[in-house]
Amino acid sequence: MAVEKMSIAKALNESLRLALDNDPKVLIMGEDVGKLGGVFRITDGLQKDFGEDRVIDTPLAESGIVGTAIGLALRGYRPIVEIQFDGFVFPAYDQIVTQLAKMHARALGKIKLPVVVRIPYGGGIGAVEHHSESPEALFAHVAGLKVVSPSNASDAYWMMQQAVQSDDPIIFFEPKRRYWDKGEVDTESIPGPLHKAVTVREGSDLTLVAYGPMVKVCVEAAAAAQEEGKSIEVLDLRSMSPIDFDAVQRSAEKTGRVVVVHEAPVFYGSGAEIAARITERCFYHLEAPVLRVGGYHVPYPPARLEDEYLPGLDRVLDAVDRSLAF
Amino acid sequence: MTVESTAAARKPRRASKRTSAAKKPQSAEPQLVQLLTPEGERVEHPDYSIDLSADELRGLYRDMVLTRRFDAEATALQRQGELGLWASLLGQEAAQIGSGRALRDDDYVFPTYREHGVAWCRGVDPTNLLGMFRGVNHGGWDPNSNNFHLYTIVIGSQTLHATGYAMGVAKDGADSAVIAYFGDGASSQGDVAESFTFSAVYNAPVVFFCQNNQWAISEPTERQTRVPLYQRAQGYGFPGVRVDGNDVLACLAVTRSALERARRGEGPTLVEAFTYRMGAHTTSDDPTKYRADEERAAWEAKDPILRLRAYLEKDKLADEAFFTALDEESETLGKRVREAVRAMPDPDPMALFEHGYADGNSLVDEERAQFAAYQASFADSAEEGK
Ligand SMILES: Cc1ncc(C[n+]2csc(CCOP(=O)(O)OP(=O)(O)O)c2C)c(N)n1
């Protein structure tokens, strides 16, 4: 049996190691990824074992990192780049949005851009500004990019393998406050496709839709609701672009009520897309409007206020009550 | 999917010769502008003379000692859990105090996140710098009250703001200057290159003050550049100069000269202060992972404070009473900072909705009202529970 218990951080590290091992064209690039092993140690030990030409410490320049990764991909490499923190992806946003996302289409499909952009994202670690952002909607809105986020160690391991093997550019959001959460990883049995949603808890009264860091909160909320006799289903989207709307629809039709939960601001967030799409797809099955729980339309607050900002158990349960009251 | 090999089969792969980067920049190490040797000897430089009174010299010493004391207190407070993070300036006191004391009140400063010594020179109360590191605000001071802008975390961004501000100064016909601080790592950012271009073509009165402390977290300067950093300026069409960043007199003289050049309408200058980050990058960093102890020890011998002290003592510019009084002043400062941080309250939750917009925003008003009602519902249920 190849089942091991490991943290999300360790699962990512093992998965990157496997990717380097399997394919000599795979490269890892980023600030501090070499000797230091990354500020979160996700690339720990990889430079030591694979050399400076495979695990490349880059200058402190995000546009440069992504722009050169594009060039390397054009030359047949498969770069996995690390952006140190969510808030620092923006110097590279131009390269990602105007170049990485569109080149395949512009070349009428003749070239492929197998680039993975890893971004530790989200709040809850008490950091200073620009270290706790959830910019997934900004990327999901851009055609040509795929956007995913694991919520547990097994997904971290396997979704990374799948992302590296994808010929499309993937924005791989890692829920940084879950890095140290442990879970079982079966390194032999390959799970379902990268963009498929997974039901992490069955229920019949209401569906909580989440991804990344909020999946754990939703599972806890469902357990708490259970004690009050409410049966809550929890769906882990895993992929924010594309979204497995069939899975959301199936669950919505089963329970009749949907609450979407994410850390990013609700306004123009991924919850808006899900709510609209589900309303279109299963209007007559819904017992209540699709509700959303997330951040406010304010700059991500200083650390001492982030508990107020981030959706916790109470805010999720409050939305569950409001939905059930319709 | 192809997922066949296992951990056991992995072996190191040889780096290809063509692509591996050389370790050292090729050009010889250039001369530093130096006015005070590491042993505390005054030396002269043909282009940068300086003549300070004993009072002024003691003032620089006092600034450096108090800044170091403040920094040490903040590091201790982080260890005690009072601050979430701290970026220490240990080792960079001369670069910061020297350049900071070269400024006039009407000059404007754009710092990164480590310029605690420059803030000190601007008269910003040091306790104001701690709010951001404690996590109660994202800045916490009015940049215009001391002409000292907010700390900037996104590397290199502020160099463009400084350039634009300087363009405005020139448009206004004023003779103030602007100074932008950044690190050697930041020199790789596109924003910094663009600020060099803009400042050169618009002849903006800005001084780029790069503290080359040798490291950008774990990346050495060689990972950012193959030529000495100050030489970059030449390609943009303005002068660059490398100064001994652990020599407060040289930092003062070189910065003063660059600021005067800006005031005369002659455009930007790049000053590279060659110095060393004695501590970790921040309190979350572990430098033992990437750098050797011997390197730190070599730089310890160039300590900016000990060097000036040696000079003050040798030339009898300060007596024992001065040093004793300064020790006491340091302790008082440490105590004041400690108390101020401990007394710093957490923000009111409703502060979430403050200052997002200058003109207000109806969406925020709606969310604020919902949030207030939600908060009140807890108060109500607490009441009911009584
Ligand atoms: C755009 C951006 N990328 C990455 C980071 C993370 N980061 C913070 S400080 C730092 C190193 C900065 O080095 P340097 O510019 O030399 O300044 P120093 O900290 O040495 O003073 C890095 C990579 C950041 N803050 N901003």
Side-chain angles (χ1 to χ4, degrees):
Chain A
M1 268 288 273
V3 179
E4 259 182 77
K5 195 155 179 156
M6 56 178 101
S7 66
I8 288 184
K10 180 73 180 156
L12 288 167
N13 179 268
E14 286 293 322
S15 189
L16 292 171
R17 181 174 276 285
L18 184 63
L20 287 164
D21 230 355
N22 281 343
D23 182 352
K25 293 293 185 188
V26 168
L27 304 173
I28 290 178
M29 303 168 64
E31 296 156 12
D32 305 293
V33 298
K35 251 191 194 159
L36 187 65
V39 292
F40 289 107
R41 307 287 186 265
I42 304 303
T43 55
D44 204 20
L46 299 181
Q47 188 181 67
K48 195 167 130 277
D49 294 344
F50 293 93
E52 291 182 21
D53 284 344
R54 303 281 314 278
V55 181
I56 306 168
D57 269 325
T58 66
L60 208 180
E62 287 76 9
S63 182
I65 295 169
V66 173
T68 56
I70 291 172
L72 282 157
L74 293 173
R75 182 67 194 178
Y77 286 89
R78 304 184 84 85
I80 305 171
V81 312
E82 173 173 301
I83 300 293
Q84 203 157 70
F85 275 92
D86 35 50
F88 309 143
V89 71
F90 295 104
Y93 194 62
D94 169 39
Q95 285 288 343
I96 293 173
V97 171
T98 67
Q99 308 302 322
L100 185 62
K102 296 183 166 65
M103 254 182 222
H104 176 71
R106 289 175 58 217
L108 306 180
K110 298 296 180 208
I111 55 171
K112 296 188 173 116
L113 276 303
V115 177
V116 179
V117 181
R118 295 180 38 233
I119 310 177
Y121 82 123
I125 62 161
V128 293
E129 67 166 342
H130 308 300
H131 291 71
S132 305
E133 306 282 324
S134 299
E136 61 271 18
L138 297 177
F139 293 90
H141 192 65
V142 178
L145 301 176
K146 289 177 174 169
V147 183
V148 303
S149 177
S151 70
N152 58 63
S154 173
D155 275 354
Y157 185 87
W158 284 109
M159 287 170 70
M160 179 60 73
Q161 287 303 303
Q162 292 164 331
V164 175
Q165 285 163 21
S166 165
D167 282 334
D168 285 315
I170 307 268
I171 312 297
F172 196 97
F173 279 108
E174 299 171 2
K176 69 170 90 82
R177 68 164 146 148
R178 305 283 178 235
Y179 270 148
W180 304 280
D181 287 7
K182 288 192 171 174
E184 289 193 342
V185 179
D186 185 338
T187 54
E188 272 164 18
S189 112
I190 301 169
L194 181 56
H195 302 287
K196 226 173 154 49
V198 166
T199 307
V200 288
R201 186 188 162 104
E202 299 269 356
S204 52
D205 295 337
L206 181 146
T207 305
L208 289 172
V209 176
Y211 51 83
M214 293 313 297
V215 171
K216 186 173 176 181
V217 174
C218 287
V219 168
E220 285 167 6
Q226 181 80 48
E227 287 171 20
E228 298 168 11
K230 297 164 196 159
S231 167
I232 309 292
E233 182 146 306
V234 179
L235 199 65
D236 179 357
L237 281 187
R238 301 165 79 248
S239 172
M240 290 87 89
S241 178
I243 287 178
D244 183 356
F245 283 114
D246 292 344
V248 187
Q249 179 173 355
R250 272 195 304 276
S251 184
E253 288 178 357
K254 174 174 152 195
T255 64
R257 296 171 204 273
V258 177
V259 175
V260 191
V261 185
H262 51 64
E263 286 188 12
V266 164
F267 191 55
Y268 280 103
S270 45
E273 179 59 41
I274 294 164
R277 204 68 71 124
I278 291 311
T279 308
E280 277 177 28
R281 283 196 179 207
C282 37
F283 186 68
Y284 292 108
H285 287 88
L286 294 178
E287 306 286 341
V290 179
L291 299 183
R292 293 166 292 160
V293 182
Y296 305 105
H297 189 62
V298 301
Y300 191 91
R304 300 254 172 169
L305 274 185
E306 68 181 343
D307 283 347
E308 311 289 347
Y309 176 91
L310 292 170
L313 219 55
D314 286 333
R315 274 175 65 202
V316 174
L317 290 172
D318 179 64
V320 166
D321 289 346
R322 277 189 288 129
S323 177
L324 290 170
F326 270 94
Chain B
M1 240 178 325
T2 54
V3 186
E4 70 272 34
S5 59
T6 61
R10 288 164 206 143
K11 35 183 191 306
R13 283 169 168 81
R14 212 164 57 84
S16 96
K17 284 189 202 74
R18 271 188 70 190
T19 55
S20 55
K23 290 288 177 233
K24 282 279 168 198
Q26 283 164 338
S27 51
E29 285 299 317
Q31 285 293 305
L32 303 170
V33 175
Q34 194 177 71
L35 298 175
L36 191 62
T37 69
E39 295 72 37
E41 302 289 345
R42 268 292 269 120
V43 288
E44 293 305 321
H45 190 282
D47 302 328
Y48 299 99
S49 67
I50 198 161
D51 188 18
L52 298 178
S53 67
D55 226 25
E56 288 169 317
L57 289 165
R58 282 193 301 268
L60 293 174
Y61 182 79
R62 173 179 173 271
D63 287 338
M64 290 199 289
V65 167
L66 292 181
T67 299
R68 181 172 289 187
R69 182 64 185 85
F70 163 69
D71 186 72
E73 191 60 41
T75 303
L77 285 163
Q78 195 281 333
R79 298 283 177 243
Q80 293 158 19
E82 298 287 346
L83 300 177
L85 183 83
W86 183 244
S88 164
L89 66 28
L90 188 65
Q92 299 178 222
E93 295 87 352
Q96 297 196 12
I97 299 301
S99 59
R101 285 298 177 210
L103 297 164
R104 245 170 39 185
D105 280 353
D106 59 327
D107 294 339
Y108 213 102
V109 178
F110 288 84
T112 91
Y113 42 77
R114 208 190 287 285
E115 270 67 72
H116 321 313
V118 185
W120 171 265
C121 295
R122 298 309 282 173
V124 176
D125 188 319
T127 59
N128 279 347
L129 305 176
L130 299 172
M132 173 168 177
F133 293 97
R134 186 171 169 87
V136 301
N137 59 43
H138 284 321
W141 62 87
D142 171 4
N144 290 324
S145 63
N146 303 70
N147 282 8
F148 185 79
H149 193 68
L150 301 168
Y151 276 179
T152 299
I153 301 266
V154 180
I155 299 293
S157 290
Q158 75 282 3
T159 57
L160 279 166
H161 313 153
T163 300
Y165 192 96
M167 287 161 63
V169 167
K171 275 188 198 303
D172 293 345
D175 81 334
S176 344
V178 179
I179 189 165
Y181 288 86
F182 59 102
D184 48 311
S187 71
S188 295
Q189 286 285 351
D191 276 4
V192 173
E194 293 181 26
S195 72
F196 287 0
T197 299
F198 272 69
S199 64
V201 303
Y202 293 112
N203 207 40
V206 57
V207 175
F208 296 106
F209 195 90
C210 177
Q211 288 171 84
N212 177 357
N213 64 12
Q214 312 301 326
W215 293 92
I217 310 188
S218 75
E219 308 287 7
T221 308
E222 294 88 71
R223 180 51 70 189
Q224 318 294 341
T225 180
R226 296 292 297 274
V227 299
L229 277 174
Y230 77 97
Q231 288 178 3
R232 288 258 181 102
Q234 201 192 354
Y236 291 88
F238 54 87
V241 54
R242 181 179 272 185
V243 59
D244 183 337
N246 287 19
D247 172 354
V248 69
L249 303 186
C251 288
L252 174 58
V254 166
T255 311
R256 191 179 269 170
S257 155
L259 290 165
E260 279 164 7
R261 188 172 175 278
R263 289 186 216 296
R264 287 196 303 270
E266 291 170 28
T269 304
L270 170 60
V271 177
E272 178 191 0
F274 204 72
T275 181
Y276 193 73
R277 188 193 83 207
M278 295 300 290
H281 169 69
T282 65
T283 43
S284 317
D285 176 44
D286 172 13
T288 62
K289 280 235 158 203
Y290 54 82
R291 70 182 192 188
D293 286 348
E294 303 85 73
E295 183 185 285
R296 189 186 189 280
W299 278 91
E300 215 153 275
K302 303 179 193 172
D303 186 277
I305 296 185
L306 296 180
R307 160 182 328 202
L308 185 55
R309 181 167 184 140
Y311 174 50
L312 292 178
E313 285 176 341
K314 232 179 313 198
D315 283 40
K316 309 230 174 334
L317 297 161
D319 56 15
E320 212 33 57
F322 167 76
F323 294 112
T324 314
L326 186 52
D327 284 346
E328 275 165 32
E329 197 181 356
S330 293
E331 282 322 298
T332 311
L333 175 68
K335 189 160 174 280
R336 176 164 82 81
V337 167
R338 197 158 57 239
E339 281 165 6
V341 166
R342 295 206 169 123
M344 214 177 263
D346 282 358
D348 175 345
M350 293 311 290
L352 269 178
F353 300 93
E354 275 169 26
H355 306 305
Y357 295 86
D359 289 339
N361 176 310
S362 56
L363 169 68
V364 177
D365 294 343
E366 189 185 324
E367 288 189 349
R368 180 193 289 113
Q370 283 165 357
F371 182 77
Y374 176 69
Q375 294 281 99
S377 72
F378 287 103
D380 291 349
S381 48
E383 282 296 305
E384 281 163 21
K386 269 190 192 156

